[in-house]
Amino acid sequence: MGADAAVERGGLLLKRVLAGVPAGENPLTHVEELPERAATVAAWPSWADKPVRAAFGRGGVESPWAHQVAAAEHAHAGRSVVIATGTASGKSLAYQLPVISALTDDPRATSLYLSPTKALGADQLRAVRALDLPELRAASYDGDTPMAERDWVRAYARWVFTNPDMLHRGVLPTHGRWATFFRNLRYVVVDECHAYRGVFGSHVALLLRRLRRVARKYGADPVFVLASATVSDPAASATRLSGVDCAAVTEDCSPRGARTVALWEPPLLDDVAGENGAPVRRSAGAETARILADLVIEGARTLAFVRSRRGAELTALGARRVLSEVDSGLADRVAAYRAGFLPEERRALENALASGELLGVASTNALELGVDIAGLDAVVVAGYPGTLASFWQQAGRAGRAGDGSLVVFVARDDPLDTYLVHHPSAVLDKPIEATVTDPGNPYVLAPQLACAAAELPLTPACLPAFGDGARAVLDDLVAEGVLRKRPAGWYWTSHQRPHFDVDIRGSGGDQIAVVEADSGRMLGTVNPGSACATVHSGAVYLHQGTSYVVDELDLDSGLALVHAENPDWSTSPREVVDIAVLGTIDRQVHQARGGEVTVCLGEVAVTSQVVGYLRRLPSGEVLDQIPLDLPEHTLRTRAVWYTVSENLLTGMGSGQAGLHPAAVPGALHAAEHAAIGLLPLFATCDRWDIGGVSTALHPDTGRPTVFVHDGHPGGAGFADRGHAALVPWLNATRRAIAACECPAGCPSCVQSPKCGNGNEPLDKAGAVAVLSTVLAALTN
Ligand SMILES: [Zn+2]
Ligand SMILES: [Zn+2]
C-alpha cells in the first residue's frame, strides 16, 4: 500500500461506516486526521556496554528512540525522571537500559520494580528474562511467590519485581532480612505511575517515602525512574508521588501510522422518554454494534471497547445479528472478550485477531493492559473510559507505521462525553487531566506514619519528607497511645506490626466485604461511606461486568451478601444529604456588578442518609421506589464551593434579566451535577469519587451555594484540583450543558445517575445562567 493510500485508509473506513447511518441523522461531531509520524532514533549511550546492546539487539531493537535515550541518560546521571509518552512507545526500554547497565557494571547492585497489577509485573519480568542476561537474577516477589522461593529472592535476587501491596506488607516491615538488597539499591522503577491516584495514590506516595527512609538507613539513595501515560505536568505528579525531584521526558519519538479519529454522538430518539420526561439518546452500545458490523463487512480488524461485560456481550451479539443478514460466515468472525479469561484463552484470541480469523472483538477494559494486540485497522471506544490515558491506550491498538487506521469515539449519555465530542481539542491536544494524589491527607498519613515508626523510629529529621502536617498527626498518634514520644523521636510500642491493618487500596476505616452467599466467594470491598448507597439490600451490584443482587447489608459485621442475578432493572439510591463547613482554607471574593461571587476551599462534614431506592428499566423508565431504613453516615472531607449573592442571580441591580427566585434551586442543582460530571476531565477521578450539594440558602454561607466535595475521608486531592482549575472546569461545565441539544435537561448534560434527589429540581437554562454569572465574576 502506498503512503497516500495508507493515509486514506482510515477515512475510507469512516465513509463506509457513515453510509450506514439513517438519512437525517448526523452523529459525527468532528473528524481529525492525525498524520503519520516517523521515528527519531538515537545512538546507544556510550555507557551502555556491548553485551547489553547485543541483548536488546537480539530482542529486535537495533537502535533506541530518542526519548528512550533521553530518559535513560537522566537516570544514569543520577537524576530521577518520569517518562510520559504514548502507548507502545517503548517506555520499558527507557528504564531497562540504565537498570541493566548498573546491574552488569556492578555485580552487587540491586534494583526494585513496582507495578500496580501483578499481571503487568509478570509481563515485564518475562520481557527482562527474555533478554537472556542471567547475571541480572530478576525475580518476582509477590503474593504468588512460594514461601520456599522467598528466602532465595531476599538473599540473591538483584532485580526484584513486586507491587506496592507487597512492598507495604512483605518487604518494608522486615527490612532487616533485606539488608543486602537495600544496601546496594540503585534504582526504583515505578511503572504505570498514573495508576497511583486518589487515596491509593496517596498511600503509595507515603509508601515510597518509607522506602527511601529504609534505603537510607542502609546507606543507599536510589534513583527513581517512573513511567506514565501522557498526563498534564507529569514532572509535578511524579515529584509528588515519589517525594524526589523528577525531570520529565515527554516528547514521543516512536513511529506511528496515520490515524483518522472520529467523534460520534448518538442521536436523540423521538419516541422514548426517560427520567422526568427527558429525551433519550440511542445507546452507545447499540451504535457501536452497528459500527462494528460495518467495519467487519469492510474486512477491517476491529476492537470495540465497551464499559461493562454485559455491554460487551450485547455489542458482539448486536454486530453478529446485523452480519448474519449480510453473510453468516462473517457473523462467526465476531466475538466478545471479558476479564476472567484464562491465559491460553487470551493467547488464542490474540492469535485469531492477529491472523484475521477473527475480524471483530467487543471487549471490556480488561483488554487494556497486558494483552499483545496492536496494529488493528480500527478501534471503537464506546463511552469515555475515565481518563485520556486509558482512551489513548485503547485507541493505540489501532494503526501501525505505514498503514492508516480509524478510531471512533462514541459518546455515552454523560456530560463529560458530551463535552468531549463537542470539544475535540480536549481529546486531541495536550492532556489537561492531572494525576491527583494528596499525601498530606491525615487519614492516610496517620496509618502510614504508624507503619513508618514500626519500621524505624521516626526522628525530627525524617519529618519533612512526610509533609507539613506530619507533626500534628504524630501528636495525635501519641495522644491516642499508638506511638510513644521519647527524646530521640517517635516509637512504635506494640509487639504487633500495624501493616496488616492498613489497606493501601482502601480509604481508611473497615471496608464492607461483598460476598457471594452461596459460594462464600469475596467479590470485592466497598468503602463504609458508600456502602449504604451501593450495596443496600435490593441493590443491583456490578462486579467485573457481572450482575449481582444484594440480599442483605449488615453494617455491624461489615458484610454485604449477594447472589448472581441479572434483573432487567438497575437501582439508584435516594439520599438526604447535608453539608456543614468545618473550616475554610482559602477564600477569595470576586466583585461583580450588582453583587459578588465567593470561592472557597475547605473542610466539611457531609452527613447523608439513604432513605430508599428506585428500580429503573434500561429505557430509563422508573418501575417503583422502595423505602429503606439505614443509619446516617458522616464524612469529614475537603470541598470546593462557590457562593453567589442572590441579587446577582436574580439580576436585580445589574439591569439584566436574571433568574426567577423560584428557579434558583434547580439552576444551582443542575450546575452542581454537570460540574461533578466534568471534574474527571481535570483530575484523574471518577464521578463516583466525588459528590456535591447545592442549596439556595446555606446556613454556613448565608448565600446560594454549590459545593463539590471529595468522597473519601480527609479528601484525596480532587476538591483541591477543582479549586486550582476552577475557571477552566466551570467553563467546560457551562459548555457541556450548552452543547447538549435536549430542550430542558437529560443525562448527557444535567441529569445525574447518582442524584440522591431523583434529579429534581433541575433547570438547564438556569444552570448556564449561573455558570455564566460566576465565570464573569471570576474572570473580570
Ligand atoms: Zn441534555
Ligand atoms: Zn442531585
Side-chain angles (χ1 to χ4, degrees):
M1 195 183 284
D4 289 347
V7 173
E8 282 163 17
R9 167 88 166 140
L12 200 67
L13 288 174
L14 181 60
K15 215 176 270 174
R16 296 289 158 78
V17 169
L18 283 170
V21 171
E25 285 181 11
N26 183 20
L28 215 54
T29 58
H30 185 80
V31 180
E32 185 94 6
E33 301 288 350
L34 302 180
E36 179 162 5
R37 183 180 65 205
T40 309
V41 296
W44 291 101
S46 55
W47 45 262
D49 286 342
K50 243 194 188 137
V52 175
R53 297 184 213 179
F56 282 115
R58 284 194 301 277
V61 181
E62 290 295 318
S63 36
W65 295 317
H67 63 282
Q68 295 172 320
V69 173
E73 289 283 10
H74 278 296
H76 181 74
R79 289 186 294 270
S80 291
V81 61
V82 57
I83 179 165
T85 51
T87 312
S89 62
K91 282 175 279 199
S92 305
L93 189 139
Y95 70 74
Q96 286 166 353
L97 190 55
V99 170
I100 292 175
S101 293
L103 297 186
T104 48
D105 286 351
D106 173 0
R108 286 166 312 166
T110 61
S111 288
L112 186 70
Y113 167 95
L114 292 171
S115 75
T117 64
K118 271 193 264 183
L120 175 66
D123 282 349
Q124 294 297 310
L125 175 59
R126 207 175 304 128
V128 165
R129 283 185 171 157
L131 292 173
D132 199 20
L133 296 166
E135 69 271 30
L136 300 182
R137 294 206 297 268
S140 73
Y141 192 86
D142 60 30
D144 297 340
T145 310
M147 286 298 167
E149 252 172 60
R150 293 188 183 190
D151 289 337
W152 184 90
V153 174
R154 279 193 292 265
Y156 300 110
R158 300 183 57 212
W159 196 354
V160 173
F161 283 66
T162 187
N163 51 54
D165 312 74
M166 197 63 177
L167 180 64
H168 165 65
R169 291 183 174 194
V171 178
L172 292 180
T174 55
H175 55 81
R177 303 168 71 182
W178 293 82
T180 312
F181 180 82
F182 279 120
R183 191 169 302 127
N184 298 298
L185 186 60
R186 297 282 298 278
Y187 288 105
V188 174
V189 177
V190 185
D191 206 356
E192 298 278 319
C193 67
H194 56 277
Y196 303 122
R197 61 194 176 88
V199 171
F200 178 40
S202 306
H203 272 293
V204 172
L206 294 165
L207 180 63
L208 294 178
R209 285 153 179 76
R210 281 162 50 200
L211 168 67
R212 282 176 49 221
R213 204 168 71 101
V214 166
R216 213 167 298 135
K217 172 190 157 59
Y218 294 98
D221 189 8
V223 172
F224 282 71
V225 185
L226 300 95
S228 169
T230 45
V231 294
S232 163
D233 205 355
S237 300
T239 298
R240 195 166 50 239
L241 182 69
S242 65
V244 293
D245 283 336
C246 291
V249 171
T250 56
E251 197 190 343
D252 193 334
C253 300
S254 62
R256 196 173 59 190
R259 277 188 231 168
T260 301
V261 179
L263 307 185
W264 188 287
E265 185 176 47
L268 291 171
L269 298 172
D270 290 333
D271 45 354
V272 187
E275 187 172 5
N276 306 332
V280 174
R281 291 184 188 280
R282 190 182 300 142
S283 81
E287 201 84 333
T288 299
R290 204 188 51 70
I291 296 171
L292 178 60
D294 285 345
L295 290 166
V296 167
I297 291 170
E298 291 304 312
R301 288 173 309 127
T302 306
L303 193 52
F305 286 99
V306 188
R307 295 289 299 255
S308 72
R309 178 194 283 199
R310 188 169 179 223
E313 271 153 16
L314 287 176
T315 300
L317 204 66
R320 275 202 294 266
R321 194 175 303 135
V322 175
L323 289 168
S324 63
E325 287 165 21
V326 181
D327 174 351
S328 61
L330 281 179
D332 294 337
R333 294 169 76 182
V334 173
Y337 177 92
R338 53 177 168 73
F341 272 24
L342 298 170
E344 52 268 30
E345 291 175 306
R346 267 167 54 160
R347 302 289 166 241
L349 185 114
E350 287 169 17
N351 292 337
L353 200 52
S355 70
E357 184 192 325
L358 264 183
L359 277 176
V361 171
S363 168
T364 59
N365 296 350
L367 208 70
E368 205 175 279
L369 284 181
V371 174
D372 188 19
I373 294 177
L376 297 177
D377 300 307
V379 163
V380 186
V381 179
Y384 187 58
T387 63
L388 270 186
S390 295
F391 176 80
W392 286 112
Q393 200 127 33
Q394 297 179 351
R397 301 286 177 190
R400 65 192 143 193
D403 210 353
S405 62
L406 173 66
V407 175
V408 185
F409 168 53
V410 181
R412 289 197 306 169
D413 55 354
D414 172 290
L416 182 49
D417 287 36
T418 307
Y419 178 81
L420 293 172
V421 291
H422 289 282
H423 296 87
S425 66
V427 180
L428 298 161
D429 293 354
K430 248 179 95 190
I432 48 175
E433 73 191 12
T435 309
V436 169
T437 50
D438 177 15
N441 175 345
Y443 290 81
V444 178
L445 199 46
Q448 286 286 338
L449 284 172
C451 293
E455 285 151 14
L456 291 169
L458 282 159
T459 63
C462 315
L463 291 197
F466 290 96
D468 296 339
R471 183 60 205 256
V473 171
L474 281 177
D475 290 344
D476 286 348
L477 289 172
V478 171
E480 290 163 22
V482 176
L483 298 183
R484 184 170 298 158
K485 174 99 175 76
R486 294 194 188 136
W490 292 265
Y491 287 74
W492 175 252
T493 52
S494 162
H495 289 299
Q496 208 168 350
R497 295 195 181 96
H499 299 75
F500 274 85
D501 294 330
V502 178
D503 174 11
I504 62 170
R505 291 184 191 251
S507 61
D510 290 331
Q511 301 284 300
I512 305 291
V514 184
V515 173
E516 191 177 34
D518 282 352
S519 62
R521 189 165 68 103
M522 185 160 116
L523 302 175
T525 59
V526 180
N527 292 329
S530 61
C532 290
T534 54
V535 291
H536 57 79
S537 59
V540 176
Y541 174 78
L542 285 175
H543 172 70
Q544 293 195 343
T546 302
S547 169
Y548 297 84
V549 173
V550 179
D551 298 312
E552 192 192 343
L553 169 62
D554 184 342
L555 289 166
D556 293 332
S557 59
L559 271 183
L561 295 174
V562 306
H563 66 273
E565 188 189 333
N566 201 356
D568 288 336
W569 57 85
S570 60
T571 54
S572 42
R574 285 291 162 269
E575 219 171 344
V576 184
V577 185
D578 242 343
I579 195 163
V581 174
L582 301 176
T584 304
I585 296 160
D586 188 78
R587 185 170 186 272
Q588 305 281 338
V589 180
H590 303 265
Q591 297 299 334
R593 223 160 63 124
E596 61 186 36
V597 169
T598 309
V599 174
C600 296
L601 177 73
E603 282 162 15
V604 295
V606 185
T607 304
S608 57
Q609 185 175 22
V610 175
V611 294
Y613 66 97
L614 295 186
R615 297 195 302 163
R616 201 192 303 259
L617 294 175
S619 66
E621 191 188 327
V622 173
L623 282 176
D624 53 11
Q625 175 160 358
I626 296 163
L628 289 168
D629 182 21
L630 288 165
E632 263 186 13
H633 179 87
T634 299
L635 168 74
R636 290 172 71 115
T637 189
R638 286 163 83 96
V640 52
W641 65 91
Y642 61 83
T643 73
V644 192
S645 51
E646 210 159 326
N647 287 354
L648 200 56
L649 278 183
T650 52
M652 295 184 324
S654 69
Q656 292 171 342
L659 285 173
H660 190 278
V664 169
L668 297 172
H669 189 199
E672 170 219 319
H673 276 187
I676 291 171
L678 267 296
L679 186 55
L681 188 60
F682 299 88
T684 48
C685 62
D686 194 278
R687 74 197 271 168
W688 303 91
D689 286 329
I690 46 183
V693 175
S694 54
T695 163
L697 175 63
H698 193 273
D700 294 333
T701 66
R703 293 251 171 98
T705 310
V706 174
F707 293 87
V708 173
H709 63 81
D710 269 86
H712 303 279
F718 303 133
D720 293 62
R721 172 70 182 152
H723 182 252
L726 189 72
V727 169
W729 171 35
L730 293 185
N731 233 322
T733 305
R734 195 184 68 81
R735 288 182 178 172
I737 303 172
C740 188
E741 79 252 41
C742 74
C746 75
S748 299
C749 53
V750 297
Q751 287 189 342
S752 163
K754 55 174 284 194
C755 180
N757 220 30
N759 279 307
E760 283 194 304
L762 288 177
D763 186 325
K764 179 183 173 182
V768 174
V770 167
L771 290 163
S772 301
T773 304
V774 170
L775 283 163
L778 293 183
T779 52
N780 81 5

